[in-house]
Each structure stands twice: as structure tokens, then as C-alpha cells.
Amino acid sequence: MSNKKIALVTGGYSGEAVISYKSAETIFNNIDSGKWDCYLIDIHPSGWFYKSPSGEKSEVDKNDFSITVDGSKITFDAVLIGLHGTPGEDGKLQGYFDCLNIPYTSCDAATSALTFNKRYTVAVAAFAGIYVAKSMHLFKNDGTTAEQVLDQLKLPVFVKPNNGGSSLGMSKVTGPAQLPAALEKAFAVDEQVLVEEFIKGRELTIGVFRSKGKIIALPMTEIISKNEFFDFEAKYEGASEEITPAEVDEVVADKVRDAARKAYSVFNCRGIVRIDFIYEETVGQPYMLEINTVPGQSAASLVPQQVKAMGWSLKEFYSALIEEAFN
């Protein structure tokens, strides 16, 4: 019986593409070739291409998401999404694959679009009883001034693009004079901006996935940034300490795991997601920051660390994600 054919999509149309390529390298190198035939598909502003192991490119037929290799047409049994940012994390690709009836390894189009919007994510989480920080949602040229923001929120605050990830365009503001520049920086990345009150506590992040019908929480990671917060440099260039598994009391770990599994269910997640929390010790509760529906899989990323801490190989993990996509 021949292996099923899996398209591993990478690239994208945002600044996060550079991370997508690193994630794809890790995934590709850990696909079980005894079970799956994996084809690397680069979704790029200049076109969609299959990249052969030798580096040759051939264009993807978007009518049915097929490729032609050595004169033979290849269609895919499932898609493994390793594309951060748009169009792989915001629901656009998911809707396209739904139209073609091709299974994929990420959340569906509705969940992806919702969780890509940080403000809508925390609003739904709060409605479900999950703790979140107080925040304001701003739109470009809506006339909201820095003074109006400070009337509603207490410093320090985080200012971040409302859509997207990898901490691009994000700032921590500790004084009123810093806010206008932080807003300008975030609006340079996105038309919408989230301003969120700072929650003091331990930064914990946890991968969650479903396998054989069971929601599984991976061992969590505590992040201790050498910078003011877990920014792009801290995430991808080594300016942070990441402790996996996190050294936390079991009571704290249970609360974070419970909140993570609840969020996974509330948002109807599929595949692997990573959920970021701040554990506020005076209240004794985890505050959810955001849900990453296509979390990084590069050598420096958190989910691969957590998978190994659970005692699984990445080969086993990616096979479990692909198998779940068929369910």
C-alpha cells in the first residue's frame, strides 16, 4: 500500500515568512517517510511553488492544489500547515482547502480567523470565564488619542498589532510619553492595534493538541526574557531563558493546563496550538494572552521543546497531527 501524500505549506505574505521557512525545515526533517510522502509547498507573493529536494520549483495548480512532477500529476491527501501569519494562520488557506475538501492539520477557517484577531480572542475567552487583561481595541485613523487610552487603562501597557504574531511591532509602554510612538510602531504593521494592561507574573506557555479524540496538554514552558518582554529577539535570537518543563507547583500547573484545555474546547481548536498565559500570583490565576494556531516549529521554538519533554519524538508528534487531520 502506497504512502499518503502530504503537502507541507510554508512561506506566506507577511514578515513572519522567515519563521515559516525555519518551521518547515524542522517539520520536513522529522516527517516519517515510512508513512507519508511529504512535498514542500512555498506560498509566496510571487506565486505558489513546489520545491523539490534539489531546489527545483514547479508551479502549483490552484484549481485543485495539485503539482506536476516528471510529467505526473500529484494531488494531496492532506495538508500540514507550517505557515505563520497570513494566509496560513488567519483562515484564508483553511477556507480554500475546505472548498477543495482537502483535510489539514490546523484549526478551521472560523477559529483561525477569530484567534488571529487578538482582541476578539480575549473577548471570547472572557465570555467563557477565562481570565484576561483589560484592553482597548483601536483602529487606524479612528481618532483615538493616547490621552484617551490612558484614561481607560493603567500603565504599564503593551501595545501590539491586533493581527499577526512573532511579536512584530510590539512595545511595552511604562510612561505616557512613550505611548504615541508605540502606537505608530504597531499601526505600521496592522490597521488594528490592541493596547493591553500589563499583568505582573510568571510567563507560561503551553502547547495543546488533540490525538485520538483526547485533548492533550504538553509540558509547559516558563519564559524569562532578558529583554523587557518576550519580543522577536527574545523569541528567535536567544534573548530569553526558556525552562521546559516549567518549575511550578502542581497546583499552578493544573490551573494552567485546565485553562488551556478549556480554551482549546471553547475555541473549537484543531491540531497543535500554543496558548500564552501570565500566572498572576496574588490572584492565583492564569491570565490568557493569546492563542497561536500555527505555533513555531523551528529548532528554537517552544512546541518542539515541549514535545520532547513529554517523551515523544517529533516524528511521532507530526504523524499524530496528520492522522488526526483525517479524523
Side-chain angles (χ1 to χ4, degrees):
M1 187 173 176
S2 61
N3 290 349
K4 289 189 174 181
K5 293 178 172 56
I6 307 299
L8 168 57
V9 297
T10 186
Y13 303 156
S14 74
E16 294 183 77
V18 62
I19 308 303
S20 298
Y21 293 126
K22 292 179 180 180
S23 289
E25 184 178 358
T26 300
I27 297 168
F28 190 84
N29 290 337
N30 288 281
I31 290 289
D32 188 343
S33 58
K35 290 183 175 181
W36 321 104
D37 291 338
C38 187
Y39 296 79
L40 189 63
I41 305 295
D42 185 2
I43 291 180
H44 190 272
S46 65
W48 297 15
F49 302 99
Y50 161 62
K51 292 179 72 173
S52 72
S54 62
E56 295 174 10
K57 285 185 177 182
S58 55
E59 197 162 357
V60 173
D61 183 345
K62 295 179 187 175
N63 291 304
D64 58 1
F65 195 64
S66 66
I67 57 174
T68 301
V69 179
D70 297 329
S72 298
K73 180 174 178 172
I74 295 171
T75 57
F76 298 104
D77 298 294
V79 178
L80 206 167
I81 295 179
L83 193 160
H84 312 300
T86 189
E89 202 166 359
D90 56 4
K92 295 183 176 70
L93 271 184
Q94 288 81 357
Y96 166 72
F97 292 131
D98 284 340
C99 289
L100 296 175
N101 202 28
I102 303 174
Y104 48 86
T105 59
S106 79
C107 296
D108 65 17
T111 297
S112 298
L114 174 64
T115 54
F116 199 67
N117 186 302
K118 295 181 177 69
R119 170 64 173 195
Y120 298 161
T121 302
V122 296
V124 171
F127 188 76
I130 298 168
Y131 285 77
V132 298
K134 188 178 179 183
S135 63
M136 283 185 72
H137 187 194
L138 309 182
F139 294 83
K140 198 167 193 175
N141 302 320
D142 69 359
T144 305
T145 64
E147 291 76 18
Q148 288 171 317
V149 172
L150 295 175
D151 284 341
Q152 298 290 321
L153 303 177
K154 293 185 295 186
L155 292 172
V157 295
F158 282 109
V159 179
K160 45 191 167 183
N162 195 47
N163 301 284
S166 298
S167 298
L168 296 170
M170 185 171 170
S171 304
K172 183 179 179 182
V173 173
T174 56
Q178 300 169 341
L179 186 55
L183 291 171
E184 185 177 348
K185 179 181 177 182
F187 275 125
V189 176
D190 190 12
E191 297 284 314
Q192 301 177 37
V193 165
L194 181 67
V195 186
E196 196 169 55
E197 285 187 354
F198 172 69
I199 302 292
K200 186 177 182 181
R202 299 175 72 176
E203 187 161 356
L204 301 167
T205 186
I206 183 167
V208 188
F209 69 107
R210 192 191 302 271
S211 180
K212 297 178 181 176
K214 182 182 177 184
I215 298 174
I216 300 170
L218 292 170
M220 69 192 72
T221 300
E222 180 169 14
I223 297 161
I224 303 171
S225 179
K226 297 173 186 175
N227 297 343
E228 271 208 290
F229 61 94
F230 196 44
D231 60 5
F232 187 92
E233 183 186 20
K235 280 185 178 179
Y236 301 111
E237 297 173 3
S240 67
E241 183 182 1
E242 297 162 2
I243 302 167
T244 308
E247 297 169 359
V248 296
D249 292 340
E250 198 57 27
V251 171
V252 174
D254 278 341
K255 287 182 178 180
V256 175
R257 283 192 290 260
D258 287 348
R261 285 191 288 256
K262 181 176 182 178
Y264 194 96
S265 294
V266 165
F267 285 89
N268 190 34
C269 293
R270 295 196 328 220
I272 176 68
V273 306
R274 199 192 76 237
I275 309 177
D276 300 338
F277 293 94
I278 297 290
Y279 189 82
E280 214 283 4
E281 292 177 322
T282 57
V283 176
Q285 290 292 342
Y287 281 68
M288 195 189 89
L289 301 179
E290 60 183 88
I291 299 176
N292 303 273
T293 57
V294 186
Q297 302 289 329
S298 72
S301 295
L302 299 165
V303 165
Q305 294 177 33
Q306 295 175 4
V307 169
K308 291 172 186 175
M310 189 173 70
W312 283 28
S313 69
L314 289 177
K315 185 178 289 187
E316 290 172 309
F317 178 64
Y318 296 131
S319 285
L321 295 184
I322 294 167
E323 286 161 2
E324 190 66 21
F326 288 114
N327 295 330

